[in-house]
């Protein structure tokens, strides 16, 4: 008898010894797979960072080239303005002749539209044929010189010419009067297409773009093969862009969605040293990372295949080793092992079944279990002749809550709301489930309209006592909307009909202001209740 007891005592120890080496094999295989994925993901991330950095360098080099072109063009235009202004002051009657000579010298690459606005704001001279004597004193490029006594070059935002009826950039300088005072403004109008056409000569990809922006945030010129949803000329660029920050470097790289077409891009900028302008070159992130994404797909597929082979080899080796040892055990040990394994499997199955019924985030029942339970409850209620109530609850302004506080706070908010609902529906037979997103369903067996309304009111009261803030809501606090449908005893009501009715009641609450409850009994008139 003592010998038999000793054998029974040593059998579990022998079994534990049999699993040590297979467990070690599986542990080694797991470490190998973990190391493989660590290396693969690190390599992919390094590849991504390298492509992004390289794109930034390329964009910065292109921005430097475009900067030189803009500076050269603006300096040439300023020189022309100074020469023509000198000629106007000395010999105004020869202004058109000198402008024509200047145009001939420049050729067709730079079309000049030069005008003189007198001190009273009227167009007094122009190289545009048959130009009328229009009043231009309300234009910003006139007022800036009228107010400021300095002699600086001014570059306007795109304006629609009253003479040419075309969009142009106005390059202007102050014209002095004989007494040294304000004598008017000399204007050289240049089409934004002049810069855009030059930008098109450089390949920045299908979705890339080159833009000339003023420090006043207004777009002066833009070129891209991807058509913009609307004309970008004159649009404001968001002020948080780094190139608008005087403390930021004069040249740099950043990543942001475009304010013109919302395409995510990697951009490089350069602020002009002597002019209030910024040259911006942006490359579409999807095009920059296309080689990385292609390689990433291949790498992940290969990694998954290698991981599967390693796992299979480890499992087969561990099973083979354990099988060889298990063959030497006695039938009694095998029986004990099978019994223990059976208990473990049953326990695992029970846990898996329980987990399969629960929502992993909120810890309440999930949609699948809700659908099954509602069908069963309606059958039971039909046999017993009792009513069944269904509450459909939705958190008000939850998207605004997520946008304001972040998704982690949103998850915590969902958990607190679920806990409050469970506290309100506290009977053992009551069922609380996550229906989807921020929507929660409550099944109340043997409950009529009055009982369902009480539960809904407890939910509102409990949430109000929590005092959860939500700046996205008009009230400044988190509230819920509840739709209630009651299936009275007797008539056969399907789960789909009950859900649709409760959901319709929920929609009515949402439509009429949120933070309330709307209840209806199927087959009876609707009863509306509001919650403060």
């Amino acid at each position: 008898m003592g010998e038999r007891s000793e054998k029974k005592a040593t059998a579990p120890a022998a079994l534990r010894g049999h699993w040590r080496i297979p467990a070690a094999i599986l542990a080694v295989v797991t470490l190998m797979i973990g190391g493989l994925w660590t290396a693969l993901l690190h390599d992919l991330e390094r590849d991504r960072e390298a492509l992004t950095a390289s794109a930034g360098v390329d964009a910065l080099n292109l921005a430097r080239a475009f900067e030189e072109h803009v500076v050269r063009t603006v300096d040439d235009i300023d020189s022309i303005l100074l020469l023509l202004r000198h000629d106007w002051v000395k010999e105004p009657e020869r202004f058109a002749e000198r402008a024509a000579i200047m145009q001939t010298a420049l050729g067709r690459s730079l079309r000049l539209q030069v005008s003189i606005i007198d001190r009273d704001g009227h167009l007094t001279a122009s190289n545009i044929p048959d130009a009328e004597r229009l009043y231009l004193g309300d234009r910003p490029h006139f007022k800036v010189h009228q107010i400021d006594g300095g002699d600086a070059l001014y570059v306007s935002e795109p304006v629609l010419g009253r003479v040419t009826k075309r969009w142009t950039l106005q390059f202007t300088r102050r014209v002095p009067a004989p007494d040294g005072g304000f004598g008017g403004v000399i204007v050289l109008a240049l089409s934004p297409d002049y810069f855009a056409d030059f930008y098109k000569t450089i390949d920045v990809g299908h979705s890339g773009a080159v833009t000339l922006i003023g420090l006043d945030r207004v777009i002066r010129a833009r070129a891209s093969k991807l058509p913009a949803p609307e004309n970008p000329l004159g649009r404001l660029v968001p002020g948080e862009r780094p190139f608008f920050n005087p403390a930021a470097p004069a040249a740099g790289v950043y990543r942001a969605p475009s304010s013109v077409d919302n395409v995510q891009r990697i951009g490089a900028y350069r602020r002009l040293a002597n002019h209030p302008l910024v040259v911006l070159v942006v490359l579409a992130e999807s095009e920059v990372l296309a080689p990385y994404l292609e390689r990433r797909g291949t790498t992940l597929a290969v990694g998954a295949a290698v991981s599967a082979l390693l796992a299979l080899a480890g499992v087969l080796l561990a099973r083979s080793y354990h099988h060889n040892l298990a063959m030497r055990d006695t039938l009694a040990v095998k029986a004990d092992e099978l019994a223990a394994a059976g208990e473990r499997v049953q326990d695992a199955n029970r846990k898996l079944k329980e987990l399969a019924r629960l929502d992993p985030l909120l810890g309440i029942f999930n949609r699948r279990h809700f659908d099954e339970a509602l069908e069963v409850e309606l059958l039971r209620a039909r046999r017993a002749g009792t009513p069944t109530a269904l509450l459909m609850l939705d958190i008000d302004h939850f998207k605004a809550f997520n946008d304001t506080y972040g998704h982690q706070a949103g998850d915590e908010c969902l958990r607190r709301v679920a806990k409050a609902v469970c506290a309100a529906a506290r009977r053992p037979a009551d069922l609380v489930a996550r229906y989807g997103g921020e929507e929660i369903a409550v099944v109340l067996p043997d409950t009529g309209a009055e009982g369902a309304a009480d539960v809904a009111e407890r939910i509102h009261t409990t949430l109000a006592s929590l005092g959860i803030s939500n700046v996205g809501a008009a009230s400044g606090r988190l509230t819920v909307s509840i739709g209630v449908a009651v299936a009275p005893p007797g008539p056969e009501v399907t789960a789909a009909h009950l859900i649709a009715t409760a959901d319709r009641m929920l929609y009515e609450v949402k439509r009429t202001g949120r933070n309330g409850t709307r209840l209806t009994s199927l087959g009876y008139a609707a009863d509306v209740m509001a919650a403060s």
Side-chain angles (χ1 to χ4, degrees):
M1 188 70 178
E3 182 179 354
R4 182 178 298 176
S5 299
E6 184 179 350
K7 286 182 179 179
K8 289 184 178 180
T10 57
L15 285 176
R16 287 194 297 270
H18 293 168
W19 278 106
R20 287 173 186 166
I21 293 180
I25 293 172
L26 294 176
V28 170
V29 171
T30 302
L31 289 174
M32 291 174 64
I33 293 174
L36 171 67
W37 280 103
T38 299
L40 287 178
L41 295 177
H42 176 73
D43 187 48
L44 285 173
E45 183 60 25
R46 187 171 57 184
D47 188 20
R48 188 181 192 279
E49 291 175 354
L51 281 173
T52 302
S54 177
V57 172
D58 292 343
L60 205 54
N61 289 335
L62 289 173
R64 183 181 295 109
F66 294 142
E67 176 194 27
E68 293 173 356
H69 173 261
V70 172
V71 169
R72 186 167 57 251
T73 301
V74 173
D75 288 346
D76 288 347
I77 289 174
D78 195 27
S79 297
I80 293 170
L81 283 172
L82 292 172
L83 288 172
L84 291 177
R85 183 180 69 175
H86 177 269
D87 292 341
W88 169 260
V89 172
K90 296 297 183 183
E91 298 178 286
E93 68 277 0
R94 299 188 61 189
F95 174 76
E97 176 187 348
R98 300 304 297 268
I101 294 172
M102 192 72 70
Q103 180 65 76
T104 302
L106 291 173
R108 298 180 61 85
S109 61
L110 187 62
R111 301 295 297 175
L112 298 182
Q113 295 178 9
V114 188
S115 304
I116 299 293
I117 305 174
D118 65 19
R119 62 183 300 167
D120 297 323
H122 291 93
L123 179 67
T124 189
S126 176
N127 68 339
I128 301 173
D130 303 323
E132 299 178 7
R133 181 177 168 80
L134 297 175
Y135 178 71
L136 301 173
D138 57 340
R139 290 291 202 186
H141 55 267
F142 176 83
K143 289 183 176 181
V144 69
H145 296 295
Q146 186 183 43
I147 296 171
D148 185 4
D151 189 24
L153 175 69
Y154 175 76
V155 183
S156 76
E157 62 184 63
V159 296
L160 184 63
R162 292 174 182 169
V163 177
T164 63
K165 307 302 181 183
R166 296 176 183 174
W167 288 99
T168 57
L169 301 177
Q170 309 289 321
F171 295 81
T172 62
R173 272 191 178 271
R174 182 177 184 270
V175 174
D179 60 358
F182 177 68
V185 176
I186 182 170
V187 183
L188 191 154
L190 181 67
S191 171
D193 292 339
Y194 175 78
F195 294 105
D197 290 343
F198 175 77
Y199 298 157
K200 291 176 183 177
T201 62
I202 306 298
D203 184 15
V204 291
H206 175 73
S207 300
V210 183
T211 310
L212 181 64
I213 308 170
L215 291 182
D216 57 1
R217 298 170 45 206
V218 177
I219 296 177
R220 262 63 174 182
R222 184 178 187 272
S224 176
K225 294 179 182 178
L226 182 66
E230 58 185 51
N231 185 10
L233 295 182
R235 287 190 59 173
L236 286 176
V237 176
E240 64 269 15
R241 293 291 193 260
F243 40 82
F244 293 133
N245 182 3
V253 177
Y254 74 102
R255 176 178 173 272
S258 169
S259 61
V260 174
D261 53 21
N262 207 35
V263 174
Q264 185 71 28
R265 291 187 172 97
I266 299 168
Y269 68 89
R270 292 187 70 87
R271 282 200 302 266
L272 275 62
N274 298 319
H275 304 290
L277 298 170
V278 177
V279 173
L280 181 63
V281 177
V282 290
L283 306 175
E285 191 172 77
S286 59
E287 295 175 356
V288 170
L289 297 180
Y292 158 78
L293 295 174
E294 183 177 356
R295 183 186 169 217
R296 181 177 180 269
T298 303
T299 301
L300 293 179
V302 172
V306 173
S307 298
L309 290 174
L310 285 173
L312 179 61
V315 170
L316 291 176
L317 182 60
R319 288 185 61 185
S320 175
Y321 188 89
H322 174 68
H323 180 71
N324 290 336
L325 293 178
M327 290 295 292
R328 302 173 191 174
D329 294 338
T330 63
L331 291 175
V333 172
K334 272 200 167 186
D336 292 341
E337 181 187 49
L338 288 173
E343 290 179 3
R344 289 195 297 271
V345 169
Q346 290 178 4
D347 186 56
N349 284 337
R350 284 194 297 270
K351 291 181 179 178
L352 286 174
K353 287 180 180 179
E354 184 65 27
L355 288 174
R357 301 165 58 198
L358 298 178
D359 181 84
L361 176 63
L362 305 186
I364 59 178
F365 290 114
N366 58 23
R367 171 70 179 275
R368 179 179 177 183
H369 180 70
F370 163 78
D371 291 338
E372 295 172 353
L374 182 58
E375 293 283 1
V376 172
E377 179 54 36
L378 288 176
L379 288 174
R380 187 205 64 77
R382 195 173 300 147
R383 290 194 300 268
T386 57
T388 301
L390 173 63
L391 280 66
M392 298 296 286
L393 177 148
D394 187 77
I395 301 175
D396 298 330
H397 303 291
F398 188 68
K399 182 181 184 302
F401 187 96
N402 265 342
D403 292 343
T404 302
Y405 302 103
H407 289 286
Q408 287 186 340
D411 291 346
E412 178 60 25
C413 172
L414 281 172
R415 283 190 284 267
R416 295 181 70 183
V417 171
K419 187 175 180 181
V421 175
C422 290
R426 49 182 175 257
R427 297 182 306 173
D430 296 342
L431 183 141
V432 180
R434 186 179 188 181
Y435 192 74
E438 65 270 23
E439 196 167 355
I440 295 175
V442 183
V443 179
L444 302 175
D446 194 15
T447 303
E450 184 177 353
D454 288 343
V455 172
E457 181 60 28
R458 285 201 298 269
I459 292 173
H460 284 298
T461 302
T462 304
L463 280 177
S465 67
L466 294 178
I468 302 173
S469 297
N470 184 5
V471 298
S475 64
R477 58 189 177 89
L478 190 82
T479 58
V480 297
S481 297
I482 304 175
V484 184
V486 179
E492 293 188 358
V493 178
T494 65
H497 186 193
L498 189 61
I499 292 171
T501 303
D503 200 49
R504 190 171 69 254
M505 294 299 100
L506 173 61
Y507 173 77
E508 285 297 316
V509 179
K510 289 285 188 181
R511 186 179 65 81
T512 55
R514 297 182 171 86
N515 186 24
T517 300
R518 186 176 180 92
L519 183 148
T520 185
S521 293
L522 274 67
Y524 298 91
D527 178 21
V528 182
M529 292 169 289
S532 59

